[in-house]
Amino acid sequence: MQPSEAPRVAAQVAVTLAGFGGIVVVFRPQSVHQWSPLDRLGLTLLLMNSVVPLVFALFGMLLLCIDPVPVSVWRWCSGFAFVTDVLFFVFMRNNPKRRLPLNKMQMIGKFVFYGVVVMATTGVALQVVNFAVWNRFWPFFAAIFVHLTAAVIQFLRMLLIAPAGT
């Protein structure tokens, strides 16, 4: 697969995941406002981790449409991904409605949480290195991969784990 094709595929996957999140919401017996904080956090993470890679992919496609394609296209994409990820982390961390004490998580929840944190930290570090040194496609695509993987995990959690409070 060529680097110019990969953002299109990633955008399609991101839109599909967001759509599946909407389907899960529709088939739940309660409205979103009646969900537990844990379930609302899961939905927020699913939607955010679907929208962010979509925006990354669209940004990459936008830069690839410039004629001639800039030599530093992947450096710009990684810079954009880094800034977006930092804003994403700040938004999720500083909103008191989205905070969930770690002692409320079950062991599998902690394992998944720390696994995603390690992936996300690695993805952000790759963006910094790619912006500063490499200017390659694969680190930028790794950021898309990290967000899509986190969205898939949230989607599976919403499907497989009973809603909190039931």
Side-chain angles (χ1 to χ4, degrees):
M1 179 181 304
Q2 294 296 320
S4 60
E5 296 171 11
R8 278 183 282 189
V9 173
Q12 291 171 348
V13 171
V15 169
T16 302
L17 280 170
F20 284 148
I23 290 171
V24 168
V25 170
V26 167
F27 285 109
R28 284 268 177 108
Q30 315 97 344
S31 72
V32 175
H33 302 292
Q34 296 170 335
W35 289 14
S36 72
L38 179 62
D39 291 335
R40 282 197 308 268
L41 176 64
L43 177 63
T44 301
L45 289 172
L46 169 62
L47 294 176
M48 293 291 285
N49 281 309
S50 297
V51 169
V52 169
L54 174 63
V55 171
F56 288 177
L58 292 174
F59 185 75
M61 287 188 285
L62 174 70
L63 292 181
L64 289 172
C65 290
I66 298 172
D67 194 30
V69 175
V71 175
S72 58
V73 63
W74 304 121
R75 179 169 284 131
W76 294 0
C77 288
S78 285
F80 178 74
F82 174 76
V83 169
T84 304
D85 277 344
V86 167
L87 292 174
F88 177 74
F89 296 147
V90 167
F91 172 72
M92 293 303 290
R93 179 84 175 139
N94 289 337
N95 192 335
K97 291 181 181 178
R98 289 187 176 82
R99 284 199 184 148
L100 188 68
L102 285 178
N103 61 357
K104 294 223 177 198
M105 281 194 229
Q106 298 171 342
M107 187 50 124
I108 189 69
K110 288 180 184 178
F111 176 73
V112 169
F113 174 76
Y114 287 119
V116 170
V117 166
V118 167
M119 275 189 353
T121 304
T122 304
V124 169
L126 280 172
Q127 300 317 300
V128 171
V129 174
N130 195 41
F131 181 80
V133 181
W134 293 335
N135 190 30
R136 301 278 185 242
F137 168 72
W138 72 266
F140 172 65
F141 195 72
I144 294 173
F145 172 82
V146 166
H147 282 286
L148 289 177
T149 302
V152 168
I153 290 169
Q154 286 304 320
F155 177 68
L156 290 174
R157 288 187 83 243
M158 290 178 75
L159 283 181
L160 300 176
I161 298 175
T166 58

